[in-house]
């Protein structure tokens, strides 16, 4: 992309001069097929396509087939595999390098690059580790350091409780993380600095975060500056995050092209003396070096690598005095990222970043063919910014709706203010951080606090508006995929077509149709339903009644009930959102409605009866038909006495029950001809599925 004095004016070579675009699309296709199907089957399919292309003498198709094969092979080489000596539900000794840390209320979440299990070396594999706060730390785990701990691996899918629930195991697999490990009440040892250049960069990032904290900004400003300069948004308070997202400014919390562009301007200002000495090429090379250093220190996130790669291609083109297509530089960035990390295809940052830039470039090309270049500069600048903001927002709208289930209404004024304020925040924060790190003295952190206060105020006012965003959007996957297929195909068709009116019109209509489906689609859900699930901290019945979600648990105290509800709420966000339910509520011990009748441990839901029993309650309060008898922690009686007391149609052995007792009771119940199910082995059981089908 060749930039002239007008920042929105780009040179647009013909599509034939941007072969990297076709290569990138073919490579991504091969990788998607490689992830979805067996490697040999995928290779066979693309090999057949290549042979047919050779026979038909279609050289372009041959190139696409070869590139797709490379994508399949790359996935096969880099796809994460489970270590051979990994044992599920058995405590083992793990050792590896910490590559990511996320502080939670009741635990610390780590991403660990495993190097040994029980002292036996294994191939380096990423695992997700949850360290409970009651664990004993020799020192606080930090990225770039080696750690040794005891933990128990859970089976993939074992934590999936409800339909529409957020599947953390699936998200982990799409990041190359093969298994989740829980560590509690065990001694965790920090073994010192981990070897490798990437671990060195991770430790540097911690040093940057520490320097930002020492600069004496306010808590909110510190969290924001850490997100913008170190790529760590875990310090942002959930309420602040929600307000910023509602205002359409969520991209400020994730490092992207906006931050790289601002950093490039700041680097250019710092290197201005070198440029004035006539060393323009040296200035460009130094800028490229600083940008890549920034990318490595911030963790090589796909959005940053994309922006830095495009900036590097642009600066290199300036050095060699060559023009470059914007799609060419975007495609080179995609190829570079995917070759080294095929899992980036599933990263939200990768998808949203490339979609936004694709939309901006497409609109930029249309503007160049219109009368836009003839406008005066003072009109082109605001008009160009407005159109680019709208283009990026529309291009990313299906992805934002799919992942975050909302669409901000006031994104245009919010982004116009943020575009002015964000560079000032970083320009004031960097000298303050450097001065504090060198002299241990403060350098007017109030200036940065004031500037961030503007972002905070804008977000707060927009979030408080009557119509701040369109919420609870749940688009179907096919509509999202169709939208981007049309967008990419329409751009390519427009570039190679002699008469561009037809492809532009067709692409616009089809994109509008897919976008309408994304926003208007409403998933069908029952008016009322119940779901039974359990975790080791407690068992619960989740009941939806009109616009209310009730939670009935076997917890002994209110504190335990509230803790269980807090843990379940983030996991059930999609479940509740699809049903337009705002929050999860604990059902009172006595509650009556047209659907529900509860009296302590007895619950009747739409004609289906449940009873919770423990060691303190072994006799029914009244003679009644029991559909589901839930045996919870503390029960030590045999199956015969339980069946004689309650005569249940079905017995549910909860996850909190002792494992040996659970197995013994299950065998005894089978001998008595009573249907039973263990929540230790069950993903979900609900009113919409037969009892027998819920067990594996």
């Amino acid at each position: 992309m060749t930039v002239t004095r007008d920042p929105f004016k780009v040179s647009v070579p013909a599509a034939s001069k941007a072969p990297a675009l076709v290569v990138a699309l073919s490579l991504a296709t091969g990788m998607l097929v490689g992830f979805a199907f067996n490697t040999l089957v995928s290779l066979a399919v693309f090999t057949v396509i290549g042979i047919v292309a050779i026979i038909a003498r279609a050289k372009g198709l041959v190139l696409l087939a070869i590139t797709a094969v490379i994508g399949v092979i790359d996935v096969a080489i880099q796809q994460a595999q489970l270590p051979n000596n990994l044992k599920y539900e058995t405590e083992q000794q793990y050792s590896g390098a910490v590559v990511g840390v996320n502080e939670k209320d009741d635990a610390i979440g780590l991403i660990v690059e495993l190097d040994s299990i029980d002292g036996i070396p294994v191939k380096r594999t990423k695992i997700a580790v949850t360290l409970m706060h009651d664990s004993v730390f020799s020192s606080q785990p930090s990225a770039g350091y080696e750690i040794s701990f005891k933990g128990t691996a859970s089976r993939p899918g074992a934590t999936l409780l409800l339909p529409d629930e957020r599947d953390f195991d699936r998200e982990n697999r799409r990041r190359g993380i093969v298994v989740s490990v829980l560590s509690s009440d065990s001694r965790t040892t920090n073994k010192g600095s981990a070897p490798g250049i990437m671990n060195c960069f991770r430790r540097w990032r911690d040093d940057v975060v520490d320097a930002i904290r020492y600069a004496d900004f306010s808590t909110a400003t510190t969290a924001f500056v850490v997100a913008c300069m170190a790529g760590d948004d875990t310090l942002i308070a959930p309420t602040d995050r929600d307000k910023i997202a509602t205002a359409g400014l969520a991209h400020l919390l994730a490092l992207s092209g906006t931050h790289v562009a601002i950093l490039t301007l700041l680097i250019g200002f710092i290197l201005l003396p070198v440029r004035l000495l006539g060393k323009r090429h040296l200035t460009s090379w130094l800028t490229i070096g600083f940008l890549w250093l920034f990318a490595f220190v911030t963790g090589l996130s796909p959005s940053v690598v994309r922006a830095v790669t495009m900036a590097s291609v642009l600066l290199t083109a300036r050095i060699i005095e060559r023009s470059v297509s914007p799609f060419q530089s975007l495609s080179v960035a995609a190829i570079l990222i995917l070759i080294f990390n095929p899992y980036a295809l599933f990263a939200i940052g990768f998808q949203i970043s490339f979609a936004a830039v694709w939309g901006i470039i497409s609109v930029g090309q249309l503007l160049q063919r219109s009368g836009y270049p003839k406008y005066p500069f003072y009109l082109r600048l605001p008009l160009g910014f407005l159109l680019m903001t709208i283009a990026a927002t529309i291009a990313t709208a299906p992805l934002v709706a799919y992942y975050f289930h909302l669409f901000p209404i006031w994104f245009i004024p919010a982004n116009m203010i943020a575009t002015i304020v964000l560079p000032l925040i970083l320009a004031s924060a960097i000298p303050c951080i450097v001065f504090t790190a060198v002299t241990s003295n403060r350098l007017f952190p109030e200036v940065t606090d004031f500037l961030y206060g503007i972002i905070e105020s804008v977000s707060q006012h927009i979030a408080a508006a009557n119509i701040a965003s369109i919420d609870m959007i749940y688009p179907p996957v096919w509509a999202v995929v169709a939208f981007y297929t049309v967008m990419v195909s329409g751009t390519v068709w427009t570039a190679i077509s002699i008469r561009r009116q037809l492809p532009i019109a067709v692409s616009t209509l089809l994109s509008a149709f897919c976008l309408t489906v994304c926003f208007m689609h409403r998933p069908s859900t029952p008016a009322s339903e119940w779901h039974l699930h359990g975790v080791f901290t407690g068992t619960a019945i989740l009941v939806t009644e009109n616009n209310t979600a009730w939670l009935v648990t076997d917890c002994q105290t209110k504190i335990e009930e509230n803790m269980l509800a807090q843990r379940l709420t983030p996991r059930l966000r999609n479940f509740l959102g699809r049903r337009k339910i705002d929050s999860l509520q604990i059902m009172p011990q006595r509650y009556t409605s047209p659907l529900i009748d509860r009296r302590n441990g007895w619950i009747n839901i739409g004609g289906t009866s449940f009873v919770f029993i423990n060691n303190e309650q072994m006799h029914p309060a009244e003679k009644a038909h029991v559909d589901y008898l839930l045996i919870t922690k503390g029960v030590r009686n045999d199956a015969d006495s339980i069946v004689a007391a309650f005569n249940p149609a079905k017995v549910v052995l909860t996850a909190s029950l002792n494992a040996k007792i659970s197995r013994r009771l299950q065998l005894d119940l089978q001998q008595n001809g009573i249907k039973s199910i263990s929540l230790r082995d069950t993903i979900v059981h609900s009113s919409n599925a037969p009892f027998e089908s819920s067990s594996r």
Side-chain angles (χ1 to χ4, degrees):
M1 183 170 69
T2 302
V3 177
T4 64
R5 293 180 180 178
D6 185 348
F8 297 104
K9 186 175 181 180
V10 295
S11 60
V12 186
S16 60
K17 295 182 181 179
L21 173 60
V22 180
V23 173
L25 293 174
S26 179
L27 182 69
T29 302
M31 288 180 171
L32 286 173
V33 173
F35 277 117
F37 303 101
N38 180 274
T39 301
L40 294 178
V41 173
S42 304
L43 289 175
V45 170
F46 289 116
T47 300
V48 170
I49 293 175
I51 293 173
V52 172
I54 292 173
I55 295 174
R57 296 181 179 181
K59 297 180 180 179
L61 190 57
V62 172
L63 175 63
L64 295 180
I66 293 174
T67 308
V69 167
I70 293 173
V72 173
I73 295 174
D74 192 28
V75 167
I77 293 173
Q78 299 197 47
Q79 196 160 16
Q81 301 293 331
L82 285 172
N84 294 328
N85 59 333
L86 177 72
K87 299 176 183 177
Y88 291 116
E89 300 174 1
T90 301
E91 189 174 65
Q92 293 181 285
Q93 185 76 36
Y94 297 89
S95 177
V98 179
V99 300
V101 181
N102 181 20
E103 291 275 358
K104 304 176 182 178
D105 291 337
D106 56 350
I108 298 177
L110 303 177
I111 304 298
V112 176
E113 198 172 64
L114 203 62
D115 56 30
S116 72
I117 300 179
D118 289 336
I120 302 173
V122 297
K123 182 181 178 182
R124 287 194 172 272
T125 307
K126 288 183 180 180
I127 64 173
V129 182
T130 300
L131 296 178
M132 304 305 295
H133 274 321
D134 54 2
S135 300
V136 181
F137 302 108
S138 60
S139 61
Q140 193 74 2
S142 300
Y145 290 87
E146 289 194 335
I147 188 175
S148 178
F149 60 95
K150 285 185 178 180
T152 304
S154 60
R155 295 182 181 277
T159 59
L160 185 62
L161 306 178
L162 298 169
D164 306 322
E165 181 192 356
R166 185 175 177 183
D167 190 346
F168 291 100
D169 287 328
R170 183 182 181 188
E171 292 178 10
N172 283 338
R173 289 194 300 273
R174 289 185 171 183
R175 292 189 294 163
I177 299 172
V178 296
V179 71
S180 298
V181 175
L182 175 66
S183 178
S184 179
D185 295 322
S186 58
R187 183 167 294 278
T188 303
T189 306
N190 195 328
K191 299 168 61 178
S193 301
I197 185 66
M198 286 306 301
N199 287 315
C200 180
F201 283 125
R202 291 180 184 116
R203 292 192 291 274
W204 286 6
R205 181 168 72 166
D206 282 347
D207 294 338
V208 171
V209 173
D210 290 339
I212 295 171
R213 284 174 167 170
Y214 294 148
D216 204 22
F217 301 125
S218 69
T219 302
T221 304
T222 298
F224 183 78
V225 174
V226 167
C228 291
M229 296 185 59
D232 182 4
D233 63 350
T234 58
L235 300 179
I236 303 289
T239 53
D240 293 340
R241 188 189 302 273
D242 292 341
K243 291 176 184 177
I244 291 174
T246 303
L249 301 175
H251 60 91
L252 300 183
L253 304 180
L255 289 176
S256 61
T258 303
H259 302 81
V260 172
I262 294 171
L263 182 62
T264 304
L265 292 174
L266 294 176
I267 293 173
F269 179 77
I270 295 171
L271 296 177
L272 184 59
V274 180
R275 187 178 182 86
L276 293 176
L277 292 175
K279 304 293 184 180
R280 290 188 302 171
H281 291 350
L282 178 60
T283 303
S284 297
W285 287 122
L286 288 174
T287 302
I288 292 173
F290 281 123
L291 289 177
W292 279 107
L293 178 63
F294 173 75
F296 275 93
V297 170
T298 54
L300 291 176
S301 65
S303 57
V304 173
V305 173
R306 189 272 308 160
V308 171
T309 301
M310 292 187 69
S312 301
V313 171
L314 172 60
L315 292 170
T316 303
R318 283 182 173 178
I319 293 171
I320 63 177
E321 298 180 353
R322 295 284 300 274
S323 63
V324 60
S325 164
F327 280 121
Q328 183 82 335
S329 58
L330 181 66
S331 303
V332 169
I335 294 170
L336 180 65
I337 294 171
L338 295 178
I339 285 294
F340 287 98
N341 181 20
Y343 288 99
L345 269 173
F346 305 109
I348 299 175
F350 177 89
Q351 296 173 5
I352 291 180
S353 177
F354 276 84
V357 176
W358 192 288
I360 290 172
I361 294 174
S362 301
V363 170
Q365 289 187 347
L366 293 176
L367 288 176
Q368 288 301 106
R369 301 189 186 105
S370 66
Y372 166 78
K374 299 178 182 179
Y375 294 166
F377 178 77
Y378 61 85
L379 290 179
R380 290 201 304 271
L381 185 62
L383 178 61
F385 173 79
L386 177 63
L387 293 176
M388 298 303 174
T389 301
I390 294 174
T393 303
I394 292 177
T396 58
L399 286 173
V400 172
Y402 182 77
Y403 288 115
F404 306 110
H405 315 299
L406 60 81
F407 179 79
I409 300 295
W410 301 99
F411 65 91
I412 292 178
N415 277 278
M416 293 184 71
I417 296 172
T419 301
I420 298 172
V421 176
L422 182 61
L424 298 177
I425 292 175
L426 297 182
S428 64
I430 291 174
C432 188
I433 295 167
V434 173
F435 186 82
T436 304
V438 173
T439 67
S440 298
N441 295 319
R442 301 165 67 248
L443 182 65
F444 305 117
E446 296 84 2
V447 175
T448 308
D449 290 338
F450 170 76
L451 292 169
Y452 175 65
I454 297 175
I455 299 288
E456 213 170 21
S457 178
V458 169
S459 302
Q460 185 173 357
H461 280 84
I462 291 178
N466 291 331
I467 306 178
S469 63
I470 303 174
D471 299 321
M472 296 184 181
I473 307 172
Y474 291 86
V477 176
W478 70 263
V480 177
V481 174
F483 176 84
Y484 290 105
T485 301
V486 170
M487 190 173 75
V488 173
S489 303
T491 303
V492 175
W493 186 13
T494 303
I496 64 177
S497 178
I498 298 176
R499 295 184 176 180
R500 298 184 175 89
Q501 291 81 0
L502 179 62
I504 291 175
V506 173
S507 301
T508 302
L509 289 174
L510 290 177
S511 298
F513 170 75
C514 296
L515 198 62
T516 302
V517 172
C518 287
F519 280 84
M520 300 302 293
H521 176 262
R522 290 291 178 267
S524 58
T525 56
S528 60
E529 55 189 316
W530 61 262
H531 297 273
L532 176 63
H533 59 85
V535 292
F536 294 102
T537 54
T539 304
I541 306 172
L542 178 66
V543 188
T544 62
E545 182 184 23
N546 299 323
N547 293 323
T548 305
W550 294 108
L551 198 64
V552 184
T553 77
D554 64 345
C555 298
Q556 300 299 312
T557 65
K558 286 290 184 182
I559 296 176
E560 292 178 351
E561 276 191 331
N562 291 331
M563 289 180 61
L564 181 59
Q566 288 176 2
R567 288 192 177 188
L568 288 177
T569 298
R571 306 179 69 99
L572 302 179
R573 184 168 296 174
N574 285 350
F575 176 87
L576 299 176
R578 287 178 182 271
R579 290 152 181 79
K580 296 184 178 181
I581 299 174
D582 295 330
S583 61
L584 193 61
Q585 301 183 44
I586 302 295
M587 183 179 291
Q589 291 293 323
R590 290 188 173 273
Y591 176 79
T592 303
S593 73
L595 175 69
I596 304 169
D597 181 19
R598 179 183 184 183
R599 282 163 287 174
N600 298 321
W602 290 75
I603 307 102
N604 188 295
I605 304 172
T608 303
S609 57
F610 302 82
V611 176
F612 284 99
I613 66 167
N614 52 38
N615 197 39
E616 298 176 357
Q617 179 188 346
M618 267 305 301
H619 300 286
E622 58 183 90
K623 293 294 182 180
H625 173 72
V626 177
D627 291 304
Y628 291 93
L629 181 65
L630 284 75
I631 303 178
T632 65
K633 183 179 180 180
V635 171
R636 295 182 178 85
N637 300 71
D638 56 30
D640 292 335
S641 60
I642 294 173
V643 171
F646 291 91
N647 191 26
K650 310 172 187 70
V651 173
V652 178
L653 306 171
T654 67
S656 62
L657 196 63
N658 179 275
K660 292 182 179 180
I661 295 176
S662 179
R663 285 193 293 268
R664 175 176 60 80
L665 288 175
Q666 198 164 24
L667 291 174
D668 292 344
L669 290 167
Q670 288 176 358
Q671 292 176 358
N672 283 287
I674 302 296
K675 293 180 180 180
S676 65
I677 191 170
S678 173
L679 292 183
R680 287 177 173 270
D681 306 318
T682 302
I683 295 176
V684 62
H685 174 63
S686 73
S687 56
N688 302 316
F691 184 79
E692 293 80 8
S693 68
S694 59
S695 60
R696 295 182 191 176

